Amino acid sequence: MDGRPLPSIDAITAAASSDVVLLDVREFQEWMAGRAPSAIHIPMGEIVERIDEIDRTRRVVCICRSGNRSSRVTQYLLDQGFDAVNMTGGMNAWASAQLPMVNHAGNPGVVI
């Protein structure tokens, strides 16, 4: 990191952005409990080996529960040449903003 602040986006702006990839980097159990409906899931520990699954032509919004894990993934993706931003507050902020969330069965989700 070169000392510049990490690019970030808030949950409401991320939800309203139509041409972004919402990349949820939480663990499987967290993902199953509740996620943004259009998000893709690649756990933080699998990013390196699954990086080719991420669309390089679109901005990537990295999401975790609070913004900590996703900040590390954001920095990694920036270092790999992606247009990546960290969603501040993570899924906790998403839930607080009362944005749509679904669980593994398509029902209303929760953040764990």
Side-chain angles (χ1 to χ4, degrees):
M1 186 135 172
D2 58 15
R4 288 183 290 176
L6 198 60
S8 62
I9 190 170
D10 63 80
I12 292 171
T13 304
S17 300
S18 60
D19 194 35
V20 299
V21 174
L22 298 178
L23 174 62
D24 193 319
V25 302
R26 297 175 300 155
E27 295 301 315
F28 182 73
Q29 296 82 359
E30 294 172 288
W31 164 261
M32 294 296 281
R35 62 186 173 268
S38 64
I40 65 167
H41 181 235
I42 303 176
M44 185 173 104
E46 297 176 17
I47 291 293
V48 173
E49 63 262 20
R50 295 179 60 190
I51 197 166
D52 290 338
E53 296 176 34
I54 306 168
D55 186 346
R56 287 184 176 271
T57 67
R58 296 166 59 200
R59 171 169 274 187
V60 179
V61 177
C62 300
I63 306 169
C64 67
R65 184 177 57 228
S66 66
N68 185 28
R69 288 173 283 179
S70 57
S71 69
R72 292 183 291 200
V73 172
T74 299
Q75 186 60 59
Y76 174 76
L77 292 178
L78 288 168
D79 292 345
Q80 304 308 309
F82 284 84
D83 176 10
V85 296
N86 185 42
M87 191 173 84
T88 55
M91 286 305 293
N92 286 331
W94 187 278
S96 292
Q98 299 181 348
L99 293 164
M101 240 188 331
V102 296
N103 68 11
H104 68 284
N107 297 316
V110 297
V111 179
I112 60 167

